[in-house]
Amino acid sequence: MFKEFILKKLMASKLKDVPEAEKAKIMKLMETNPDLLMKIAGEAQEKMKSGMSQMDAMMAVAKNHENELKEALK
């Protein structure tokens, strides 16, 4: 319970400049499939360690998991 609260607050602070509709989708995904988000975050961290920018790493990982993301956001 506490972990979920902290995650929601962290996500909200990281998404402050994201439009509300997109923010709602991401928050829903976090609630329904947190394992997918953790997997994506881990893969993005690995790509950033190899020298990719955060944006490039997230885009590459999101593209690799495109079908999973689409299914989770239905």
Side-chain angles (χ1 to χ4, degrees):
M1 185 71 129
F2 183 70
K3 182 180 174 183
E4 291 172 8
F5 174 77
I6 296 296
L7 278 173
K8 283 182 183 181
K9 289 296 182 182
L10 177 64
M11 289 294 287
S13 71
K14 294 290 183 181
L15 299 173
K16 65 183 174 211
D17 296 329
V18 175
E20 285 300 317
E22 295 300 315
K23 193 183 301 186
K25 286 181 184 178
I26 294 169
M27 296 301 276
K28 178 185 173 203
L29 179 61
M30 186 181 78
E31 291 172 4
T32 59
N33 200 342
D35 294 335
L36 177 59
L37 282 182
M38 295 302 288
K39 182 177 172 182
I40 289 171
E43 289 179 23
Q45 287 289 350
E46 290 299 316
K47 289 190 178 293
M48 290 180 344
K49 286 179 185 175
S50 70
M52 286 182 99
S53 71
Q54 182 179 10
M55 178 64 82
D56 290 339
M58 287 303 295
M59 293 298 285
V61 173
K63 188 171 185 167
N64 289 342
H65 294 281
E66 184 176 5
N67 292 333
E68 293 171 272
L69 287 167
K70 282 181 181 178
E71 186 66 32
L73 290 172
K74 281 186 177 178

